[in-house]
Amino acid sequence: VMFEPDQKKLLTALKQAGLMDQNLDEAIAMSSSKHMPLGQALLNLDLISASKLMTCLAKAAEVPFFDLSNPDIASLLNNRLPKKLALLYTALCIDFEGALYLIMGDSLNIEALEDAKIALGADVKPSMGAEDEIEAALKRIYPEEDGVDEGLDQSEEDLGWQDNATFAHEEGSELAPIVQIVDLILMDSCNRGASDIHIEPFEKRIRVRYRVD
């Protein structure tokens, strides 16, 4: 699924890139009728190149866009991001002008950004790149002889994190359920020797992970 920023900002970026209102109206109509992202509609209608679209998407999202086909930019990539995360999120780290950026096809992937910050113990800024270029760079930085597929199958404990099991409600307890859960999380983290607890809220669930060094 193509990443889609705020449409008004994207339209502004597309107009600045030279797209005519008539073409944009056609793409908007297709996007609405076929329930697809505006960017995908533009590609389907051959109104924009993939590289120009990615540049516009990054501009609309107000994040840098890194052209990984540029050797000077590609040389700044590093393998600081744990292999499992790099493969899971199709993402790479790059040091640029004194800052550390996470390059992804979707700069709004907050979960990927937070996981990278935790794994690296550093401030990581979001940025964008073309997914095919990111995938090609991943093969160079994490070569298959090291087990490309293996990185996807490893337990999260390899990253220093452990997923917590679902907590059962203690029958007969006078404590409120939320208090019980917090107590259980704290007790479980102590039993595991965890140094950090990370709670990630989602729409219908939460994920609890421990850092065990």
mmCIF file of all heavy atoms in Angstrom, residues 120-153:
data_model
loop_
_atom_site.group_PDB
_atom_site.id
_atom_site.type_symbol
_atom_site.label_atom_id
_atom_site.label_comp_id
_atom_site.label_asym_id
_atom_site.label_seq_id
_atom_site.Cartn_x
_atom_site.Cartn_y
_atom_site.Cartn_z
ATOM 1 N N LEU A 120 18.737 1.542 18.700
ATOM 2 C CA LEU A 120 19.988 2.286 18.538
ATOM 3 C C LEU A 120 20.318 3.140 19.754
ATOM 4 O O LEU A 120 21.461 3.604 19.904
ATOM 5 C CB LEU A 120 19.918 3.167 17.292
ATOM 6 C CG LEU A 120 19.759 2.428 15.965
ATOM 7 C CD1 LEU A 120 19.526 3.409 14.825
ATOM 8 C CD2 LEU A 120 20.986 1.570 15.681
ATOM 9 N N GLY A 121 19.331 3.389 20.585
ATOM 10 C CA GLY A 121 19.563 4.244 21.742
ATOM 11 C C GLY A 121 19.958 5.648 21.342
ATOM 12 O O GLY A 121 20.783 6.285 21.995
ATOM 13 N N ALA A 122 19.375 6.114 20.240
ATOM 14 C CA ALA A 122 19.732 7.434 19.719
ATOM 15 C C ALA A 122 18.526 8.078 19.062
ATOM 16 O O ALA A 122 17.545 7.398 18.735
ATOM 17 C CB ALA A 122 20.863 7.300 18.696
ATOM 18 N N ASP A 123 18.611 9.383 18.883
ATOM 19 C CA ASP A 123 17.541 10.088 18.185
ATOM 20 C C ASP A 123 17.645 9.777 16.693
ATOM 21 O O ASP A 123 18.714 9.902 16.094
ATOM 22 C CB ASP A 123 17.674 11.596 18.411
ATOM 23 C CG ASP A 123 16.550 12.378 17.753
ATOM 24 O OD1 ASP A 123 15.405 11.891 17.776
ATOM 25 O OD2 ASP A 123 16.806 13.474 17.221
ATOM 26 N N VAL A 124 16.561 9.336 16.122
ATOM 27 C CA VAL A 124 16.532 8.972 14.699
ATOM 28 C C VAL A 124 15.430 9.773 14.020
ATOM 29 O O VAL A 124 14.298 9.802 14.493
ATOM 30 C CB VAL A 124 16.266 7.463 14.512
ATOM 31 C CG1 VAL A 124 16.313 7.104 13.031
ATOM 32 C CG2 VAL A 124 17.262 6.637 15.297
ATOM 33 N N LYS A 125 15.766 10.431 12.928
ATOM 34 C CA LYS A 125 14.799 11.255 12.213
ATOM 35 C C LYS A 125 14.223 10.484 11.021
ATOM 36 O O LYS A 125 14.920 9.686 10.404
ATOM 37 C CB LYS A 125 15.455 12.542 11.729
ATOM 38 C CG LYS A 125 16.044 13.403 12.852
ATOM 39 C CD LYS A 125 16.706 14.655 12.287
ATOM 40 C CE LYS A 125 17.366 15.463 13.399
ATOM 41 N NZ LYS A 125 16.373 15.951 14.374
ATOM 42 N N PRO A 126 12.955 10.746 10.675
ATOM 43 C CA PRO A 126 12.358 10.049 9.526
ATOM 44 C C PRO A 126 12.803 10.654 8.201
ATOM 45 O O PRO A 126 13.067 11.853 8.103
ATOM 46 C CB PRO A 126 10.852 10.254 9.741
ATOM 47 C CG PRO A 126 10.763 11.567 10.463
ATOM 48 C CD PRO A 126 11.974 11.620 11.351
ATOM 49 N N SER A 127 12.886 9.826 7.182
ATOM 50 C CA SER A 127 13.189 10.296 5.835
ATOM 51 C C SER A 127 12.622 9.276 4.857
ATOM 52 O O SER A 127 12.131 8.219 5.256
ATOM 53 C CB SER A 127 14.699 10.463 5.628
ATOM 54 O OG SER A 127 15.353 9.209 5.682
ATOM 55 N N MET A 128 12.693 9.599 3.574
ATOM 56 C CA MET A 128 12.127 8.711 2.559
ATOM 57 C C MET A 128 13.151 8.361 1.486
ATOM 58 O O MET A 128 14.099 9.102 1.248
ATOM 59 C CB MET A 128 10.903 9.367 1.905
ATOM 60 C CG MET A 128 9.701 9.462 2.825
ATOM 61 S SD MET A 128 8.238 10.098 1.958
ATOM 62 C CE MET A 128 7.951 8.771 0.775
ATOM 63 N N GLY A 129 12.892 7.214 0.870
ATOM 64 C CA GLY A 129 13.684 6.770 -0.266
ATOM 65 C C GLY A 129 12.827 5.853 -1.104
ATOM 66 O O GLY A 129 11.781 5.381 -0.643
ATOM 67 N N ALA A 130 13.236 5.587 -2.324
ATOM 68 C CA ALA A 130 12.491 4.673 -3.192
ATOM 69 C C ALA A 130 12.656 3.250 -2.673
ATOM 70 O O ALA A 130 13.774 2.811 -2.402
ATOM 71 C CB ALA A 130 12.997 4.784 -4.622
ATOM 72 N N GLU A 131 11.538 2.527 -2.532
ATOM 73 C CA GLU A 131 11.592 1.195 -1.929
ATOM 74 C C GLU A 131 12.485 0.236 -2.709
ATOM 75 O O GLU A 131 13.185 -0.584 -2.110
ATOM 76 C CB GLU A 131 10.188 0.618 -1.785
ATOM 77 C CG GLU A 131 9.418 1.209 -0.624
ATOM 78 C CD GLU A 131 8.317 0.293 -0.103
ATOM 79 O OE1 GLU A 131 8.391 -0.931 -0.335
ATOM 80 O OE2 GLU A 131 7.388 0.815 0.517
ATOM 81 N N ASP A 132 12.466 0.309 -4.045
ATOM 82 C CA ASP A 132 13.315 -0.604 -4.808
ATOM 83 C C ASP A 132 14.791 -0.316 -4.564
ATOM 84 O O ASP A 132 15.616 -1.236 -4.512
ATOM 85 C CB ASP A 132 12.982 -0.530 -6.302
ATOM 86 C CG ASP A 132 13.156 0.869 -6.888
ATOM 87 O OD1 ASP A 132 13.083 1.843 -6.123
ATOM 88 O OD2 ASP A 132 13.335 0.968 -8.119
ATOM 89 N N GLU A 133 15.127 0.969 -4.366
ATOM 90 C CA GLU A 133 16.510 1.331 -4.072
ATOM 91 C C GLU A 133 16.893 0.918 -2.656
ATOM 92 O O GLU A 133 18.039 0.510 -2.406
ATOM 93 C CB GLU A 133 16.715 2.823 -4.275
ATOM 94 C CG GLU A 133 16.576 3.262 -5.730
ATOM 95 C CD GLU A 133 16.689 4.762 -5.909
ATOM 96 O OE1 GLU A 133 16.852 5.485 -4.898
ATOM 97 O OE2 GLU A 133 16.604 5.234 -7.063
ATOM 98 N N ILE A 134 15.955 1.009 -1.725
ATOM 99 C CA ILE A 134 16.217 0.562 -0.355
ATOM 100 C C ILE A 134 16.458 -0.943 -0.345
ATOM 101 O O ILE A 134 17.393 -1.436 0.297
ATOM 102 C CB ILE A 134 15.039 0.922 0.571
ATOM 103 C CG1 ILE A 134 14.880 2.443 0.681
ATOM 104 C CG2 ILE A 134 15.255 0.334 1.974
ATOM 105 C CD1 ILE A 134 13.652 2.889 1.454
ATOM 106 N N GLU A 135 15.621 -1.693 -1.074
ATOM 107 C CA GLU A 135 15.773 -3.152 -1.124
ATOM 108 C C GLU A 135 17.116 -3.548 -1.734
ATOM 109 O O GLU A 135 17.766 -4.489 -1.263
ATOM 110 C CB GLU A 135 14.621 -3.763 -1.917
ATOM 111 C CG GLU A 135 13.285 -3.687 -1.188
ATOM 112 C CD GLU A 135 12.111 -4.094 -2.057
ATOM 113 O OE1 GLU A 135 12.337 -4.363 -3.265
ATOM 114 O OE2 GLU A 135 10.979 -4.138 -1.540
ATOM 115 N N ALA A 136 17.538 -2.830 -2.766
ATOM 116 C CA ALA A 136 18.835 -3.126 -3.386
ATOM 117 C C ALA A 136 19.969 -2.847 -2.405
ATOM 118 O O ALA A 136 20.939 -3.614 -2.316
ATOM 119 C CB ALA A 136 19.002 -2.300 -4.655
ATOM 120 N N ALA A 137 19.842 -1.749 -1.660
ATOM 121 C CA ALA A 137 20.873 -1.402 -0.679
ATOM 122 C C ALA A 137 20.902 -2.407 0.464
ATOM 123 O O ALA A 137 21.971 -2.731 0.991
ATOM 124 C CB ALA A 137 20.627 0.010 -0.146
ATOM 125 N N LEU A 138 19.743 -2.912 0.852
ATOM 126 C CA LEU A 138 19.686 -3.924 1.913
ATOM 127 C C LEU A 138 20.488 -5.162 1.526
ATOM 128 O O LEU A 138 21.179 -5.757 2.363
ATOM 129 C CB LEU A 138 18.229 -4.316 2.191
ATOM 130 C CG LEU A 138 17.403 -3.347 3.046
ATOM 131 C CD1 LEU A 138 15.937 -3.761 3.027
ATOM 132 C CD2 LEU A 138 17.922 -3.303 4.464
ATOM 133 N N LYS A 139 20.399 -5.557 0.265
ATOM 134 C CA LYS A 139 21.130 -6.740 -0.191
ATOM 135 C C LYS A 139 22.636 -6.518 -0.145
ATOM 136 O O LYS A 139 23.407 -7.456 0.064
ATOM 137 C CB LYS A 139 20.691 -7.104 -1.611
ATOM 138 C CG LYS A 139 19.258 -7.625 -1.678
ATOM 139 C CD LYS A 139 18.852 -7.944 -3.103
ATOM 140 C CE LYS A 139 17.421 -8.455 -3.163
ATOM 141 N NZ LYS A 139 16.984 -8.737 -4.549
ATOM 142 N N ARG A 140 23.053 -5.249 -0.345
ATOM 143 C CA ARG A 140 24.482 -4.950 -0.274
ATOM 144 C C ARG A 140 24.965 -4.900 1.179
ATOM 145 O O ARG A 140 26.044 -5.409 1.499
ATOM 146 C CB ARG A 140 24.778 -3.599 -0.941
ATOM 147 C CG ARG A 140 24.527 -3.555 -2.426
ATOM 148 C CD ARG A 140 25.187 -2.328 -3.048
ATOM 149 N NE ARG A 140 24.785 -1.081 -2.411
ATOM 150 C CZ ARG A 140 23.730 -0.366 -2.774
ATOM 151 N NH1 ARG A 140 22.949 -0.791 -3.753
ATOM 152 N NH2 ARG A 140 23.445 0.770 -2.167
ATOM 153 N N ILE A 141 24.179 -4.287 2.035
ATOM 154 C CA ILE A 141 24.614 -4.058 3.409
ATOM 155 C C ILE A 141 24.420 -5.292 4.284
ATOM 156 O O ILE A 141 25.204 -5.566 5.185
ATOM 157 C CB ILE A 141 23.868 -2.846 4.001
ATOM 158 C CG1 ILE A 141 24.275 -1.586 3.224
ATOM 159 C CG2 ILE A 141 24.160 -2.665 5.482
ATOM 160 C CD1 ILE A 141 23.505 -0.343 3.606
ATOM 161 N N TYR A 142 23.357 -6.050 3.999
ATOM 162 C CA TYR A 142 23.104 -7.300 4.720
ATOM 163 C C TYR A 142 23.060 -8.434 3.691
ATOM 164 O O TYR A 142 21.991 -8.893 3.316
ATOM 165 C CB TYR A 142 21.775 -7.233 5.479
ATOM 166 C CG TYR A 142 21.674 -6.071 6.442
ATOM 167 C CD1 TYR A 142 21.043 -4.884 6.053
ATOM 168 C CD2 TYR A 142 22.190 -6.162 7.725
ATOM 169 C CE1 TYR A 142 20.940 -3.817 6.926
ATOM 170 C CE2 TYR A 142 22.087 -5.098 8.609
ATOM 171 C CZ TYR A 142 21.460 -3.931 8.200
ATOM 172 O OH TYR A 142 21.358 -2.882 9.070
ATOM 173 N N PRO A 143 24.221 -8.877 3.197
ATOM 174 C CA PRO A 143 24.261 -9.865 2.104
ATOM 175 C C PRO A 143 23.607 -11.182 2.477
ATOM 176 O O PRO A 143 23.548 -11.562 3.652
ATOM 177 C CB PRO A 143 25.765 -10.033 1.842
ATOM 178 C CG PRO A 143 26.425 -9.583 3.092
ATOM 179 C CD PRO A 143 25.568 -8.499 3.649
ATOM 180 N N GLU A 144 23.134 -11.887 1.451
ATOM 181 C CA GLU A 144 22.372 -13.114 1.660
ATOM 182 C C GLU A 144 23.190 -14.212 2.309
ATOM 183 O O GLU A 144 22.653 -15.068 2.983
ATOM 184 C CB GLU A 144 21.796 -13.615 0.331
ATOM 185 C CG GLU A 144 20.707 -12.720 -0.207
ATOM 186 C CD GLU A 144 19.960 -13.359 -1.356
ATOM 187 O OE1 GLU A 144 20.071 -14.586 -1.516
ATOM 188 O OE2 GLU A 144 19.283 -12.637 -2.084
ATOM 189 N N GLU A 145 24.502 -14.189 2.113
ATOM 190 C CA GLU A 145 25.303 -15.244 2.728
ATOM 191 C C GLU A 145 25.252 -15.188 4.243
ATOM 192 O O GLU A 145 25.556 -16.151 4.928
ATOM 193 C CB GLU A 145 26.765 -15.181 2.266
ATOM 194 C CG GLU A 145 27.434 -13.832 2.488
ATOM 195 C CD GLU A 145 27.415 -12.994 1.224
ATOM 196 O OE1 GLU A 145 26.433 -13.143 0.468
ATOM 197 O OE2 GLU A 145 28.358 -12.234 0.996
ATOM 198 N N ASP A 146 24.842 -14.010 4.773
ATOM 199 C CA ASP A 146 24.671 -13.918 6.221
ATOM 200 C C ASP A 146 23.303 -14.422 6.646
ATOM 201 O O ASP A 146 22.976 -14.453 7.811
ATOM 202 C CB ASP A 146 24.820 -12.452 6.681
ATOM 203 C CG ASP A 146 26.253 -11.983 6.539
ATOM 204 O OD1 ASP A 146 27.139 -12.850 6.460
ATOM 205 O OD2 ASP A 146 26.474 -10.762 6.501
ATOM 206 N N GLY A 147 22.454 -14.760 5.655
ATOM 207 C CA GLY A 147 21.126 -15.265 5.961
ATOM 208 C C GLY A 147 20.093 -14.164 5.942
ATOM 209 O O GLY A 147 19.612 -13.739 6.976
ATOM 210 N N VAL A 148 19.736 -13.680 4.743
ATOM 211 C CA VAL A 148 18.759 -12.605 4.651
ATOM 212 C C VAL A 148 17.433 -13.031 5.256
ATOM 213 O O VAL A 148 16.821 -12.329 6.030
ATOM 214 C CB VAL A 148 18.570 -12.185 3.183
ATOM 215 C CG1 VAL A 148 17.383 -11.244 3.048
ATOM 216 C CG2 VAL A 148 19.816 -11.502 2.657
ATOM 217 N N ASP A 149 16.979 -14.253 4.900
ATOM 218 C CA ASP A 149 15.696 -14.710 5.414
ATOM 219 C C ASP A 149 15.756 -14.988 6.913
ATOM 220 O O ASP A 149 14.776 -14.857 7.611
ATOM 221 C CB ASP A 149 15.253 -15.980 4.689
ATOM 222 C CG ASP A 149 14.971 -15.708 3.224
ATOM 223 O OD1 ASP A 149 14.619 -14.558 2.911
ATOM 224 O OD2 ASP A 149 15.113 -16.621 2.401
ATOM 225 N N GLU A 150 16.950 -15.372 7.383
ATOM 226 C CA GLU A 150 17.087 -15.706 8.784
ATOM 227 C C GLU A 150 16.721 -14.527 9.669
ATOM 228 O O GLU A 150 16.149 -14.674 10.736
ATOM 229 C CB GLU A 150 18.537 -16.129 9.051
ATOM 230 C CG GLU A 150 18.833 -16.474 10.503
ATOM 231 C CD GLU A 150 20.293 -16.760 10.712
ATOM 232 O OE1 GLU A 150 20.995 -17.050 9.724
ATOM 233 O OE2 GLU A 150 20.737 -16.701 11.859
ATOM 234 N N GLY A 151 17.049 -13.323 9.192
ATOM 235 C CA GLY A 151 16.769 -12.138 9.993
ATOM 236 C C GLY A 151 15.295 -11.945 10.240
ATOM 237 O O GLY A 151 14.890 -11.361 11.240
ATOM 238 N N LEU A 152 14.444 -12.422 9.328
ATOM 239 C CA LEU A 152 13.006 -12.256 9.485
ATOM 240 C C LEU A 152 12.434 -13.286 10.449
ATOM 241 O O LEU A 152 11.359 -13.089 10.997
ATOM 242 C CB LEU A 152 12.318 -12.405 8.124
ATOM 243 C CG LEU A 152 12.651 -11.318 7.116
ATOM 244 C CD1 LEU A 152 12.044 -11.687 5.765
ATOM 245 C CD2 LEU A 152 12.132 -9.967 7.567
ATOM 246 N N ASP A 153 13.149 -14.415 10.664
ATOM 247 C CA ASP A 153 12.612 -15.490 11.482
ATOM 248 C C ASP A 153 13.121 -15.449 12.910
ATOM 249 O O ASP A 153 12.636 -16.166 13.767
ATOM 250 C CB ASP A 153 12.981 -16.850 10.877
ATOM 251 C CG ASP A 153 12.354 -17.023 9.506
ATOM 252 O OD1 ASP A 153 11.288 -16.445 9.286
ATOM 253 O OD2 ASP A 153 12.947 -17.719 8.670
#
